[in-house]
Amino acid sequence: MEAANGKAYHNAAIALNSGRHCLEYILRKRNISKIYIPEFMCYTVAAVCNKCRCNYEYYPIQRNFLPDLKKEPGNGEYVYLVNYYGQLSNKILGGLARKYRNVIVDNVQAFFQMPLEGIDTIYSCRKFFGVPDGGYLYTTLAVPENMNRDVSYERMKFVLGRYEQGANVFFKEASQNNTFFDHEPVKLMSKITENILKGVDYQIAIEKRKRNFNILHKYLDGINELSIVCPEGPFMYPFYARNGAIFREKLIAKKIYIPCLWGDVFDVAHSDSVAWEYAGNILPLPCDHRYGKAEMEYIIENIVEGGRYDY
């Protein structure tokens, strides 16, 4: 593999081995004793808190994805803010940071949204690009010294295989790679991932993602029960479908693979909560830069066809 001569999009950030390890680095270095995390969240954040012996408390979210945290955090307590599908602008996040004082921003679903100055902000590379590891952290904390670097060549098979074959063939290996990080320590990003990310044409990726998002939005906005905007280089198109689980199965039958993000929400939130509703009924439609107009039209055709029965 040749060394790429490009530049990473988040060149000014600390490059670690995953988004969850960025959080672990913050919790340990800031000695955070308690953090408030949203119910609409995957298990990994709570798992990192447990690993760091940091107390945490769940808070509900509103329908516009904003936190519905009733209490005021105490001195030294932090609030974890998730930028769902890139729908929270820096203006909104800045207002929340002023309100709650100590915050950590999770931009895992908003890779191309630059951070607010002075705010600990986390990004994930694996959510947006074909790499086996990688997370970026913006922080005022010192750059880690003498930290081990991840080695990922043995975990590249599913990345390379997915390029030549369907997603279903390598689903198990991709899932195993996700759980691999559960017991790993904080490390620097692997050289392989660092090199791949230096070779990405980020402007083309942004433009393709926005074009795909807008094609979906043009035809689905009228039946999508979420009020959404197109962020910079969107992650996925969040489409709210009543009876989402049934709808998801119909799309999977058409080889449109829709993930159920954060299924463990059902073990945390109440059945009448926004988090419970959104976890079951928001269908994250793929709109990334691997695809184009033809794929978006195929998704639309199957959504609208399904809609005749479900709306």
Side-chain angles (χ1 to χ4, degrees):
M1 180 182 289
E2 297 180 36
N5 294 319
K7 185 178 179 181
Y9 191 82
H10 291 291
N11 197 46
I14 301 174
L16 299 178
N17 50 334
S18 74
R20 72 187 73 176
H21 289 104
C22 292
L23 174 59
E24 180 177 344
Y25 188 77
I26 295 170
L27 294 179
R28 293 191 187 281
K29 292 295 182 178
R30 295 205 183 280
N31 294 314
I32 297 174
S33 59
K34 183 173 182 179
I35 187 170
Y36 294 86
I37 61 178
E39 294 174 337
F40 193 36
M41 189 74 261
C42 69
Y43 78 94
T44 57
V45 172
V48 171
C49 291
N50 288 331
K51 183 179 180 181
C52 297
R53 298 187 178 182
C54 174
N55 294 319
Y56 61 91
E57 183 177 329
Y58 287 105
Y59 67 81
I61 64 164
Q62 304 175 53
R63 293 191 176 278
N64 57 4
F65 295 116
L66 291 175
D68 191 17
L69 182 58
K70 303 298 185 184
K71 63 176 65 176
E72 183 175 336
N75 291 331
E77 296 181 345
Y78 277 69
V79 177
Y80 195 78
L81 302 175
V82 178
N83 189 357
Y84 300 102
Y85 300 101
Q87 294 301 298
L88 304 186
S89 66
N90 277 356
K91 182 178 179 180
I92 293 173
L93 290 171
L96 294 171
R98 289 189 293 274
K99 178 180 180 181
Y100 297 124
R101 295 174 295 173
N102 296 326
V103 302
I104 298 170
V105 172
D106 180 326
N107 267 349
V108 164
Q109 295 187 351
F111 184 88
F112 296 103
Q113 185 169 325
M114 297 306 291
L116 291 165
E117 186 176 356
I119 302 294
D120 291 334
T121 307
I122 296 168
Y123 297 84
S124 172
C125 306
R126 292 181 297 130
K127 290 282 191 295
F128 280 77
F129 306 102
V131 291
D133 68 289
Y136 288 117
L137 171 62
Y138 286 88
T139 181
T140 57
L141 294 165
V143 178
E145 296 181 2
N146 303 320
M147 185 179 289
N148 291 330
R149 184 180 291 274
D150 193 10
V151 177
S152 62
Y153 65 89
E154 292 184 337
R155 306 197 313 275
M156 283 294 295
K157 183 180 177 181
F158 77 94
V159 177
L160 299 173
R162 176 64 182 87
Y163 184 76
E164 295 187 324
Q165 298 187 49
N168 57 319
V169 179
F170 294 95
F171 177 79
K172 182 178 180 180
E173 287 187 34
S175 299
Q176 288 173 341
N177 188 67
N178 287 335
T179 58
F180 169 81
F181 296 100
D182 288 348
H183 306 291
E184 280 289 288
V186 179
K187 296 179 182 178
L188 296 175
M189 181 186 293
S190 74
K191 287 184 177 181
I192 289 178
T193 292
E194 192 175 73
N195 194 54
I196 291 172
L197 293 173
K198 286 181 179 179
V200 174
D201 190 324
Y202 292 104
Q203 193 54 46
I204 288 179
I206 291 171
E207 291 171 1
K208 284 186 175 181
R209 285 172 174 268
K210 290 173 73 172
R211 189 182 306 124
N212 290 338
F213 185 101
N214 286 325
I215 291 172
L216 293 173
H217 196 53
K218 179 180 179 181
Y219 291 96
L220 300 179
D221 183 33
I223 57 175
N224 190 354
E225 297 186 23
L226 293 176
S227 178
I228 58 175
V229 297
C230 181
E232 187 77 351
F235 168 56
M236 286 181 157
Y237 182 87
F239 176 69
Y240 184 104
R242 282 171 283 165
N243 301 315
I246 297 174
F247 209 104
R248 180 180 286 105
E249 291 304 315
K250 290 181 179 180
L251 294 176
I252 289 175
K254 298 290 186 176
K255 297 189 181 297
I256 302 171
Y257 297 105
I258 309 299
C260 181
L261 300 180
W262 311 329
D264 44 308
V265 166
F266 303 118
D267 298 324
V268 173
H270 294 290
S271 58
D272 60 350
S273 67
V274 174
W276 180 288
E277 178 187 349
Y278 278 9
N281 293 324
I282 291 181
L283 304 180
L285 303 179
C287 65
D288 62 74
H289 53 281
R290 293 172 297 176
Y291 305 120
K293 183 179 179 181
E295 287 85 1
M296 298 305 103
E297 289 178 343
Y298 180 71
I299 292 173
I300 292 165
E301 288 170 5
N302 284 282
I303 290 281
V304 173
E305 179 186 356
R308 295 196 188 108
Y309 303 99
D310 294 307
Y311 287 92

